[in-house]
Structure formats: C-alpha cells, structure tokens
Amino acid sequence: MLVRLLYASRAASPLTPAVLDSILAQSRANNPRAGITGILCHSDDLFIQVLEGGRDVVCRLYNTIVRDSLHAEVCILSFEEIRERRFGGWTMGQVNIAKVNPTLLLKYSERAALDPFICSGQASMALLEELIATASVVSRGS
Ligand SMILES: Cc1cc2nc3c(=O)[nH]c(=O)nc-3n(C[C@H](O)[C@H](O)[C@H](O)COP(=O)(O)O)c2cc1C
C-alpha cells in the first residue's frame, strides 16, 4: 500500500551547500532501496519534503528524519493513502525555493514567500506539484 507524506521543518542552522549535498547523497543512496520517491524543497532555513512509497518504509524513514539534528520543529502537513505516485521520477529531487518564480509562490500563499507553517498542507502540496510540472526540480537524483 502506497502513502504520501508531506512535512515541513526548520533548519537547525543556516543551510550550507555541504549539508544539503550530504542530505541528498543519503537520500539517493537509501531511497531507491526502499522504493521511496519524492522531492526536498528548501530555503536557507526551511525544508519541505514529500516522501512517497510503502507505508511501513515511509513511516520508518520519517521517524529517522525527525530525529536528525540538522533540523527541528518537524510538522506533518499531510499524510494520505494514495493509489499512485506523483513524484515517481525522483529518488529525491531538489528545489531551491529562492530560485522559484515569486508569482508561483504568490499563487498558493498570502505573500510571495514560502512559509509552510502558515499555509494549508493542501496549498503546499499543490505548490510542489506545480514545481515538478514547471521543471523547477533541478536534479532528478538517479
Ligand atoms: C530535511 C532532511 C531530509 C532528509 N531526507 C532523507 C531521505 O529522503 N532519505 C534518507 O535516507 N535520509 C534522509 N535524511 C537523512 C536522515 O535523517 C538520516 O541521516 C539518514 O537516513 C541516515 O542514513 P544512513 O543510515 O545511510 O547513514 C534527511 C535529513 C534531513 C535533515
């Protein structure tokens, strides 16, 4: 059975390229084995990640991620059973929100800035789906 989980968190310290690279390297090493797909969207101080896959492996990975000291205030925005994947092309795609067209952010938020903590989970998910549709995901990951 497939599920899709979306969460947001705050980076423990301003995100550096080295930290981001290490997260993506771990994701790309581990996720294919577990059949997990998704994307990681980030700014200097925020993460939003969607994880898709079997319920047991997604929950297990989420529990690992929650305990990672690289971030805090991890908040589940949505969790649903799904019939099919929407992010199946990415072992862990990556989007730097600073590079996203502000008009797209404004479409789903009160201001042209990413703040998943005040948006509905539905709006954040719609934004991520539009990011993959508009090819804003910079790396496919496999
Ligand atoms: C925001 C964020 C997203 C992460 N996403 C993943 C992921 O998709 N897959 C993964 O294996 N690890 C991810 N990690 C890293 C895990 O917390 C953990 O360090 C890693 O799974 C341990 O891998 P290892 O057992 O191969 O050392 C993420 C960490 C953070 C902070």
Side-chain angles (χ1 to χ4, degrees):
M1 181 218 300
L2 287 172
V3 299
R4 181 181 305 118
L5 186 154
L6 178 69
Y7 74 83
S9 62
R10 299 191 193 278
S13 49
L15 191 58
T16 62
V19 167
L20 182 62
D21 284 351
S22 79
I23 293 172
L24 291 170
Q26 281 170 323
S27 306
R28 289 164 188 166
N30 297 333
N31 295 1
R33 239 191 337 261
I36 289 177
T37 53
I39 62 172
L40 178 67
C41 189
H42 63 88
S43 64
D44 283 349
D45 53 1
L46 282 177
F47 295 106
I48 307 185
Q49 188 175 31
V50 58
L51 300 170
E52 289 179 332
R55 183 172 59 191
D56 54 344
V57 288
V58 167
C59 291
R60 200 173 309 138
L61 177 59
Y62 176 73
N63 280 297
T64 301
I65 291 173
V66 164
R67 288 194 287 268
D68 197 314
S69 60
L70 291 174
H71 62 170
E73 294 180 51
V74 183
C75 177
I76 293 178
L77 304 179
S78 78
F79 180 85
E80 57 185 332
E81 291 180 3
I82 54 172
R83 277 200 322 203
E84 59 187 52
R85 295 174 195 252
R86 292 192 191 137
F87 300 86
W90 288 271
T91 59
M92 193 46 60
Q94 179 218 334
V95 181
N96 181 348
I97 210 72
K99 299 199 172 140
V100 171
N101 186 337
T103 311
L104 187 54
L105 297 177
L106 201 53
K107 181 171 174 184
Y108 295 105
S109 328
E110 292 177 24
R111 273 170 285 143
L114 177 72
D115 190 348
F117 291 96
I118 59 167
C119 281
S120 71
Q122 227 179 7
S124 296
M125 184 64 85
L127 171 65
L128 295 190
E129 284 180 37
E130 192 146 344
L131 290 175
I132 56 171
T134 55
S136 302
V137 183
V138 293
S139 46
R140 193 155 271 275
S142 59

